[in-house]
């Protein structure tokens, strides 16, 4: 299973499979509104090198036009249906930067890299997908399954939902959110415990925790700091109890792993 995964921080990952380089939810800034990057160096230019970019939903820490502006002209960008209407910056990126944008809904599939490349399948997520705080246009939150030599599930932001295993299907590697950017997680999110429960439902061979330990609200360093620092280690511990057959790789920022080779 020659897939390679790099975690750049938050929900930003690179998945390399079948000669295709896939980037998820790129966020390459030190500060976003009230959030500040508190751990991990800001990724260098190599992080923005991608053949395909997947955006899971319209929240500003997942769909960030200034970060997308660093992509090479002609890069393929896959976004939830309705995103171009809801986010004017996407239209500008298409016309000025030449990004090729494809909108998808759950169940849609897109192929990249020819006959020996990859297939990307959009799957549902349990999360509010609107562009906040002014989002009036509805757009679904999505996860994606990247299918090449391996099947890699990037969950985006999601909570547990009843038919998760059926909707996602069989996967080899799961990139699961285990925290957030603030001291409290509401419905529509996975914490370390719920992410471990997701492993039981999905039964992947390997898993990588993401979406934690990177951004934190300014001025809130002393408010439940455990929620910033601990989710990765908690996920490893809880996954070991609930799904011991899954190989869990807790990466440092900028670290990469070949899940099958590391098992």
């Amino acid at each position: 299973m020659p897939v390679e995964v790099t975690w750049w921080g938050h929900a930003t990952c690179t998945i390399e499979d079948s000669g295709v380089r896939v980037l998820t939810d790129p966020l390459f800034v030190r500060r976003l509104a009230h959030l500040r990057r508190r751990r991990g160096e800001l990724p260098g230019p190599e992080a923005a090198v991608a053949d395909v970019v997947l955006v899971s939903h319209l929240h500003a820490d997942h769909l960030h036009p200034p970060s997308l502006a660093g992509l090479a002209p002609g890069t393929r960008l896959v976004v939830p249906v309705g995103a171009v209407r809801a986010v004017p910056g996407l239209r500008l990126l298409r016309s000025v930067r030449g990004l090729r944008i494809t909108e998808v809904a759950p169940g849609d599939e897109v192929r990249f890299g020819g006959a020996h490349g990859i297939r990307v399948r959009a799957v549902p997520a349990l999360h509010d997908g609107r562009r906040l705080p002014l989002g009036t246009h509805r757009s679904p939150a999505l996860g994606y399954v990247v299918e090449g030599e391996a099947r890699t599930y990037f969950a985006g932001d999601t909570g547990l939902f009843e038919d998760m295993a059926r909707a996602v299907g069989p996967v080899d590697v799961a990139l699961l959110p285990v925290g957030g950017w603030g001291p409290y997680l509401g419905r529509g999110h996975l914490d370390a415990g719920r992410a471990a429960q997701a492993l039981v439902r999905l039964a992947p061979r390997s898993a990588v925790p993401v979406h934690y330990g990177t951004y934190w609200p300014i001025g809130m360093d002393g408010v439940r700091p455990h929620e910033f620092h601990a989710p990765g280690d908690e996920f490893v511990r809880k996954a070991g109890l609930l799904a011991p057959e899954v190989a869990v790789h807790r990466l440092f920022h900028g670290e990469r792993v070949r899940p099958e080779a590391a098992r």
Side-chain angles (χ1 to χ4, degrees):
M1 189 172 63
V3 64
E4 186 169 84
V5 175
T6 305
W7 182 51
W8 303 107
H10 203 54
T12 307
C13 302
T14 295
I15 304 163
E16 297 179 72
D17 191 337
S18 304
V20 182
R21 188 173 169 98
V22 181
L23 179 65
T24 66
D25 288 355
L27 185 60
F28 300 137
V29 290
R30 296 192 184 278
R31 179 173 176 176
L32 174 64
H34 63 298
L35 304 180
R36 181 173 58 189
R37 190 176 180 108
R38 297 302 309 275
R39 183 182 286 177
E41 293 296 325
L42 199 65
E46 71 278 7
V49 177
D51 302 297
V52 185
V53 178
L54 308 178
V55 171
S56 63
H57 62 288
L58 274 54
H59 292 174
D61 58 322
H62 293 259
L63 197 171
H64 186 245
S67 294
L68 294 173
L71 301 172
T75 301
R76 295 288 299 273
L77 178 62
V78 179
V79 299
V81 63
V84 174
R85 180 186 179 197
V87 184
L90 287 177
R91 298 193 289 273
L92 189 64
L93 288 169
R94 184 170 57 186
S95 61
V96 176
R97 293 293 300 168
L99 300 187
R100 296 182 293 163
I101 301 176
T102 301
E103 294 191 337
V104 294
D108 288 345
E109 296 182 354
V110 190
R111 292 186 177 271
F112 305 96
H116 301 289
I118 63 169
R119 177 177 66 171
V120 173
R121 178 166 49 90
V123 299
L126 178 63
H127 193 68
D128 183 349
R130 292 174 297 168
R131 185 71 166 180
L132 301 175
L134 303 176
T136 57
H137 300 303
R138 287 287 177 179
S139 187
L142 300 174
Y144 295 97
V145 177
V146 178
E147 300 185 26
E149 294 294 326
R151 295 163 297 189
T152 302
Y153 170 47
F154 169 64
D157 258 355
T158 188
L160 287 171
F161 53 96
E162 188 64 32
D163 60 344
M164 175 180 274
R166 181 198 60 79
V168 174
V171 293
D172 300 300
V173 183
L175 311 181
L176 296 179
V178 301
W181 53 252
Y184 301 102
L185 286 175
R187 184 178 180 272
H189 295 84
L190 295 179
D191 59 11
R194 292 193 291 269
Q197 293 176 44
L199 291 184
V200 176
R201 300 186 184 195
L202 298 170
R205 301 177 69 179
S206 302
V208 177
V210 302
H211 204 283
Y212 76 99
T214 308
Y215 291 92
W216 203 245
I218 295 170
M220 296 187 69
D221 292 355
V223 180
R224 296 178 63 84
H226 172 82
E227 299 294 340
F228 177 81
H229 294 285
D233 288 333
E234 286 189 6
F235 175 68
V236 172
R237 180 176 63 83
K238 292 180 178 181
L241 295 174
L242 296 180
E245 71 284 358
V246 180
V248 178
H249 309 289
R250 189 183 72 80
L251 303 181
F252 296 103
H253 293 82
E255 187 178 4
R256 66 185 60 196
V257 66
R258 291 185 175 179
E260 179 70 4
R263 189 169 180 177

